Amino acid sequence: MSARDQAGGTGTETRPGPPVVEARGITKTFPGVVANASVDLVLRRGEVHALLGENGAGKSTLASILAGLYQPDDGAILLEGAPVALRSPREALAHGIGMVHQHFKLVRRFTVAENVALGDRSQPLVMSAPDVNRSVVELGERYGLPVRPEAVVGDLTVGEQQRVEIVKTLYRGVDVLLLDEPTSVLTPQETDALFATVRAMADDGKAVVFISHKLGEVLAISDVVTVMRDGRVVGRVETAGTSTRELAQLMVGRDVTMDVQREARPADGTVLELSGVTLAEDARRGRLTDLSLTVAAGEIVGIAGVSGNGQRPLAEVAAGLVDPDRGSVTVNGREVTGRGPRAARAAGLAYVPEDRIGTGLAPNLTVAENLQLTRPHGLVLDRKRWKADARRLMEEFDIRAPGPNTTTSSLSGGNIQKVLLARELSADPDVIIAASPTRGLDVGAIEFVRKLLVQRRAQGCGILLISEDLDEVRALSDRILVLYEGRLVHECAAEDADVTELGLAMAGANR
């Protein structure tokens, strides 16, 4: 049963009414970028309208214009048929339009009730705590958003903080609610609960905009889908009459398949081992506690978990960038603990970090230069050979750039990731650590990266896949481990993986 069905229907209980908000010909430019180009959008009461597109497609810019954060360079916004000027988020709220951002805007040391009342000009000079508490509870019961008014926000889980953001917006009496990438930090159970809330709001006559790049979620929760690409609307379809294939094709302009065919193959011996790794927490990194794992040749081990539970320190310790306080790291039978990334690389390890620009590549260098960063060089740099290598790798990895001398920062996110993969994988490693390798990429680039990892697995490479995308972990992995607060709390074979069990482990139920 889909989350849509669990939520109590498909939106037919409250038939979509006349337009409540219309965006006509919205155009917005930033220096060197056309973010929105003559975009039209119609939002109706009782309808969940998905705004679908990859990063950079223009969907968040359009939502920010509707929420009063940006003003359009051209076009008009109509509310109940009458033109309105939304010069600030406060004006948008006054007209019944509110937005819940991907990155929450809460004061962590305040209570839930204090955050809900914060900035509300209708509040008396001295906040009436009982009145706010009562409203928070009533909204929670009405829309399936259980939160405790007296709880301190900093003590809440990510999913609970999101509920506070939604309650805070509903408290302002909005009729139109914009949700920007709302599931990016949620467990499967929290996602299901959010979908039930979204459906309840639509059934109550509100217009809900669900902004996402996840095809499955869009199909599960929406009534209508508007697809954006390169700042333009490229399609508008009824959800009941579309499919993931059609939506993916609209997003990237060609057929895309996200199905990964993995042949069964026996594991061939350990190529990566972490034993008793412990790392004390500090301001820059998370912590790890007595963490042990192995990766075999020809095996993909997926690390699942909600963001901030130790994924980055795990990757950095395994790659030799950070020394553990205790424990050991072994690559191809050679202990590399405390010897730095060069020793790990010399032992046969490649590292694809989640921060591809800040950690993986030097954005101001050319493609050819970035492809040589980890190679050994003599006193004389053979730039002619660099360019020849770059041309070969650009063709092999489908890097779309004018040439080897192109500055890397000028490339799209997908092509930047391909440069990083080309440099790391062209060294023929025995072990690959891939941290969030498809984050922020369009579906075409995601398809390429996933197939590349599966291809390397078939060639006998051991892969540690660290991803906050549970669907990706389930699709690619042979074994799945769940990371919670720096500990491994669950392990299963991919074919035995149960989404409910994984979600509970990600939320700390197996702690």
Side-chain angles (χ1 to χ4, degrees):
M1 182 181 293
S2 71
R4 183 188 181 90
D5 295 328
Q6 292 172 9
T10 58
T12 55
E13 292 85 347
T14 301
R15 295 182 61 83
V20 57
V21 172
E22 294 179 77
R24 294 182 181 176
I26 295 297
T27 296
K28 180 65 178 178
T29 60
F30 298 100
V33 177
V34 180
N36 287 161
S38 242
V39 173
D40 295 335
L41 185 71
V42 179
L43 307 178
R44 301 176 185 277
R45 295 184 186 277
E47 187 173 76
V48 180
H49 195 128
L51 198 54
L52 180 66
E54 287 302 318
N55 286 357
K59 57 189 189 298
S60 291
T61 298
L62 177 60
S64 295
I65 289 172
L66 294 176
L69 284 164
Y70 298 148
Q71 281 68 57
D73 300 325
D74 198 9
I77 298 172
L78 280 66
L79 183 66
E80 306 284 8
V84 293
L86 305 176
R87 291 179 288 264
S88 70
R90 189 180 297 279
E91 286 194 15
L93 283 169
H95 284 94
I97 304 171
M99 184 170 178
V100 174
H101 298 267
Q102 185 176 358
H103 303 291
F104 306 146
K105 299 181 181 298
L106 300 171
V107 181
R108 293 177 59 83
R109 58 191 174 88
F110 283 10
T111 67
V112 169
E114 288 168 341
N115 269 282
V116 168
L118 189 65
D120 180 14
R121 287 189 171 181
S122 67
Q123 289 290 326
L125 188 60
V126 178
M127 183 184 86
S128 173
D131 289 346
V132 177
N133 289 356
R134 185 167 50 253
S135 295
V136 169
V137 172
E138 288 174 353
L139 287 169
E141 291 175 349
R142 182 174 181 178
Y143 295 110
L145 294 162
V147 288
R148 293 175 292 115
E150 71 281 0
V152 176
V153 164
D155 295 334
L156 302 181
T157 67
V158 173
E160 289 170 329
Q161 290 182 36
Q162 185 184 69
R163 290 179 212 158
V164 177
E165 282 280 24
I166 296 174
V167 168
K168 180 178 179 179
T169 306
L170 293 173
Y171 182 77
R172 270 47 174 195
V174 300
D175 295 312
V176 179
L177 187 68
L178 307 161
L179 301 174
D180 189 10
E181 300 283 359
T183 66
S184 60
V185 293
L186 302 184
T187 67
Q189 286 87 346
E190 289 170 331
T191 296
D192 287 343
L194 173 66
F195 283 3
T197 294
V198 168
R199 182 49 56 193
M201 289 189 292
D203 289 344
D204 200 31
K206 298 187 183 299
V208 182
V209 180
F210 188 89
I211 304 163
S212 180
H213 66 273
K214 298 181 179 180
L215 301 175
E217 292 182 354
V218 163
L219 288 173
I221 190 57
S222 67
D223 301 300
V224 181
V225 185
T226 292
V227 184
M228 296 187 67
R229 185 171 75 239
D230 298 329
R232 300 179 182 275
V233 171
V234 294
R236 185 175 290 105
V237 295
E238 299 285 332
T239 307
T242 190
S243 63
T244 54
R245 180 177 180 178
E246 180 185 8
L247 293 176
Q249 187 177 50
L250 285 170
M251 287 171 71
V252 300
R254 63 174 178 83
D255 280 330
V256 176
T257 175
M258 301 306 289
D259 295 329
V260 179
Q261 302 300 321
R262 295 185 300 112
E263 295 182 3
R265 55 164 292 144
D268 226 1
T270 300
V271 291
L272 174 66
E273 181 176 8
L274 277 68
S275 179
V277 168
T278 295
L279 185 68
E281 186 170 16
D282 64 21
R284 191 187 69 83
R285 61 193 187 202
R287 70 173 184 268
L288 301 174
T289 304
D290 196 25
L291 186 147
S292 298
L293 63 83
T294 61
V295 179
E299 178 186 40
I300 298 179
V301 175
I303 303 293
V306 177
S307 176
N309 275 277
Q311 290 93 332
R312 181 167 181 173
L314 169 57
E316 292 182 342
V317 167
L321 273 72
V322 172
D323 296 338
D325 298 322
R326 292 196 305 276
S328 63
V329 180
T330 304
V331 178
N332 266 335
R334 296 162 58 180
E335 185 171 342
V336 296
T337 317
R339 296 174 57 197
R342 288 187 179 179
R345 185 176 296 276
L349 182 140
Y351 178 39
V352 181
E354 62 175 321
D355 183 5
R356 59 186 70 109
I357 284 293
T359 303
L361 300 169
N364 294 326
L365 296 184
T366 66
V367 170
E369 290 166 339
N370 267 299
L371 289 170
Q372 295 293 326
L373 279 181
T374 58
R375 307 280 198 271
H377 299 290
L379 293 176
V380 179
L381 302 181
D382 189 351
R383 293 186 178 274
K384 185 176 181 180
R385 180 179 61 79
W386 289 12
K387 290 182 182 180
D389 284 347
R391 291 190 183 95
R392 174 179 59 81
L393 292 173
M394 287 171 69
E395 182 175 355
E396 180 181 345
F397 286 84
D398 191 30
I399 300 168
R400 300 179 186 181
N405 289 331
T406 303
T407 303
T408 304
S409 61
S410 68
L411 303 182
S412 69
N415 283 301
I416 288 172
Q417 184 72 327
K418 288 177 183 179
V419 172
L420 180 55
L421 287 164
R423 188 190 70 204
E424 295 300 306
L425 303 194
S426 61
D428 293 325
D430 298 308
V431 183
I432 300 170
I433 298 173
S436 299
T438 64
R439 177 186 288 167
L441 305 187
D442 64 42
V443 290
I446 291 173
E447 176 192 42
F448 178 88
V449 172
R450 289 185 179 182
K451 287 182 176 179
L452 188 60
L453 292 177
V454 170
Q455 181 186 71
R456 289 304 174 114
R457 167 191 178 272
Q459 294 170 359
C461 206
I463 300 172
L464 184 64
L465 172 66
I466 304 171
S467 176
E468 292 153 25
D469 185 338
L470 185 56
D471 290 337
E472 179 166 81
V473 170
R474 294 176 64 214
L476 296 180
S477 303
D478 297 290
R479 281 190 296 132
I480 299 175
L481 309 178
V482 176
L483 189 64
Y484 177 75
E485 292 188 349
R487 297 178 183 268
L488 292 175
V489 296
H490 183 76
E491 177 176 353
C492 63
E495 60 267 24
D496 300 327
D498 178 83
V499 174
T500 300
E501 287 185 5
L502 291 173
L504 288 171
M506 290 164 63
N510 295 10
R511 185 177 180 179

